[in-house]
Amino acid sequence: MTTTAEFIALDERWSTHNYHPLPVVITEGEGAWVTDTEGKRYLDFLSAYSALNFGHRHPDLVAAAIEQLGRVTLTSRAFHHDQLGLFCAELAELTGTEMVLPMNSGAEAVESALKVARKWAYEVKGIPDGTAEIVVAGSNFHGRTTTIVSFSTDETARAHFGPFTPGFVVVKYGDAAALRDAITDRTAAVLLEPVQGEAGVIVPPDGYLAGARRLCDEHGVLLIADEIQSGLARTGTLLALDHEHVRADLYTLGKALGGGIMPLSAVVGRREVLGVLKPGEHGSTFGGNPLACAVGRTVIKLLATGEFQQRSTALGAHLHARLGELIGDGLAEVRGRGLWAGVDITPGGLSGREASAALAGKGVLCKETHGNTLRIAPPLVISEDDLDRGIDAIAEVVRR
Ligand SMILES: *Cc1c(COP(=O)(O)O)cnc(C)c1O
């Protein structure tokens, strides 16, 4: 029998060291719980960075996958299949948009949105070819491709990966005046996370996103909302932009869209924008495959009930009330929306990494974003008792 230490040694010997995982080896998951090699159970307070909004192995999602596995899993886009059109129609209806471009990973969705925005700028807006600019926010996280890290402000994500893709302008997140100053007649789009997840669950000031929308309207600029982590019920609404009653021209979706089973992402938005793509100009072998679409259609069904949005709102209010009690008593700051929180441990206390390790010891899995910040994002299926159990553990760890 392979022991926990041996599994970890195998990972460390054979997988690239681009992550620094906690020393827990998971072998099973169900709902909000996972089990390790030694039979120890943990509450999942990370949800694979919100890819597991519906928990591990949600029965409806597993059933949809099994059903589709018994029919057809991949056709490529060389042919039609019976899931793609339905998936796109249902996702457009759910999100109130007009067109869907299916991809696989979140980074691919962001890359696709950037390509589409540039093409739209040249062909529809009339910006001289090769000169379009896209305005992005500091401390952003949009993925790991060369183009995307070109406009990251995280030196670790960029160092020695250049030369970088030009055409991006970085402004301070949450600063409406900085955004206004950055827009020129060469601006194609503004790309924002409605809540910055990796940065530590940063909610921008009230009115910032609505202001960004107004600026984009005044200047004929596209607003692209990266809702890969913030969307699909995580903040209590379908999309985090819904809190400010703002509509984007393009949204990038991913993570929970694949139900924690398949990698599935999409760009959704206006026909005038996504319509610039013609055959041969963009694509993906696996994008929109039948298995991913079948699972994605079931995700859409779950979201259409509103149940998960309601759970996030109700459980999130409870989470934030309880975390708020720890301010000045282990925590310096609590941010977030819905069942999603970034908490800063009081300086001088444990680092985020040390706190994550201590929490794992107590049977709760979460992860630092950086420094002394922990990200808390339990699956939206979690019971209130289990949520309290996890918060109790957090309180014990940060109060030390
Ligand atoms: C995770 C994430 C991405 C990248 O998604 P991958 O599937 O890891 O490529 C992009 N944007 C945001 C906001 C994310 O949270």
Side-chain angles (χ1 to χ4, degrees):
M1 205 187 79
T2 313
T3 67
T4 301
E6 284 165 345
F7 279 119
I8 291 175
L10 276 170
D11 272 14
E12 288 180 349
R13 169 67 183 80
W14 293 103
S15 83
T16 54
H17 294 174
N18 54 330
Y19 281 89
H20 181 33
L22 291 168
V24 172
V25 180
I26 295 167
T27 56
E28 271 177 52
E30 185 178 10
W33 290 89
V34 296
T35 308
D36 75 4
T37 27
E38 284 154 31
K40 177 171 172 169
R41 296 178 79 227
Y42 303 82
L43 265 174
D44 185 347
F45 259 41
L46 179 65
S47 306
Y49 308 97
S50 293
L52 287 162
N53 281 358
F54 311 100
H56 295 267
R57 296 190 300 116
H58 187 290
D60 294 5
L61 298 171
V62 169
I66 290 172
E67 204 270 329
Q68 190 62 38
L69 278 169
R71 299 202 297 120
V72 65
T73 55
L74 184 63
T75 58
S76 84
R77 294 289 302 277
F79 314 106
H80 294 277
H81 63 77
D82 63 0
Q83 296 299 306
L84 178 69
L86 289 167
F87 168 71
C88 293
E90 289 159 7
L91 186 59
E93 194 193 341
L94 179 77
T95 55
T97 56
E98 297 169 339
M99 221 177 205
V100 172
L101 170 61
M103 299 295 287
N104 309 282
S105 69
E108 281 176 301
V110 173
E111 280 277 343
S112 304
L114 297 172
K115 287 176 72 178
V116 165
R118 285 176 164 186
K119 201 160 196 291
W120 172 88
Y122 302 132
E123 294 181 359
V124 181
K125 185 171 174 177
I127 294 177
D129 192 37
T131 68
E133 289 178 347
I134 295 178
V135 180
V136 301
S139 305
N140 67 73
F141 183 85
H142 297 288
R144 300 294 198 168
T145 65
T146 308
T147 288
I148 293 171
V149 300
S150 294
F151 56 85
S152 171
T153 57
D154 173 359
E155 258 322 296
T156 311
R158 286 167 52 90
H160 295 173
F161 294 122
F164 297 113
T165 307
F168 298 95
V169 178
V170 183
V171 298
K172 191 170 171 239
Y173 187 65
D175 182 339
L179 188 56
R180 177 177 313 109
D181 292 345
I183 293 179
T184 70
D185 42 7
R186 290 189 303 174
T187 307
V190 172
L191 168 65
L192 293 172
E193 294 161 87
V195 175
Q196 287 192 324
E198 295 297 312
V201 194
I202 312 288
V203 181
D206 279 347
Y208 174 69
L209 298 166
R213 175 71 271 176
R214 271 197 309 278
L215 274 174
C216 287
D217 286 341
E218 281 165 25
H219 297 273
V221 166
L222 301 176
L223 179 62
I224 308 174
D226 184 348
E227 296 257 15
I228 289 168
Q229 195 166 156
S230 60
L232 308 185
R234 175 48 68 186
T235 68
T237 47
L238 180 73
L239 299 162
L241 274 191
D242 297 346
H243 289 284
E244 288 208 31
H245 308 285
V246 170
R247 299 293 302 167
D249 300 287
L250 297 177
Y251 296 90
T252 53
L253 303 174
K255 293 203 163 103
L257 189 59
I261 297 179
M262 292 298 289
L264 173 60
S265 67
V267 186
V268 303
R270 288 170 47 212
R271 184 169 294 274
E272 177 197 290
V273 186
L274 283 166
V276 300
L277 287 181
K278 297 291 177 302
E281 295 175 347
H282 190 62
S284 162
T285 303
F286 286 93
N289 70 74
L291 182 56
C293 285
V295 174
R297 291 183 63 202
T298 308
V299 165
I300 294 164
K301 275 201 194 100
L302 294 176
L303 288 167
T305 66
E307 178 195 337
F308 294 91
Q309 292 87 319
Q310 280 160 26
R311 291 190 68 82
S312 178
T313 301
L315 294 169
H318 184 66
L319 172 74
H320 282 277
R322 285 209 53 200
L323 292 174
E325 291 167 9
L326 297 174
I327 295 174
D329 188 19
L331 295 181
E333 191 176 299
V334 178
R335 297 171 298 273
R337 227 165 203 170
L339 195 58
W340 194 20
V343 303
D344 297 343
I345 297 166
T346 308
L350 297 180
S351 70
R353 176 79 192 180
E354 289 164 341
S356 303
L359 281 167
K362 291 181 184 292
V364 176
L365 296 183
C366 74
K367 191 77 167 69
E368 78 278 7
T369 57
H370 43 66
N372 60 341
T373 301
L374 284 179
R375 165 184 10 211
I376 300 165
L380 306 178
V381 296
I382 195 170
S383 70
E384 191 169 320
D385 281 354
D386 285 344
L387 182 61
D388 274 323
R389 198 189 296 236
I391 301 169
D392 289 345
I394 290 169
E396 282 170 34
V397 163
V398 300
R399 273 179 174 148
R400 276 203 315 207

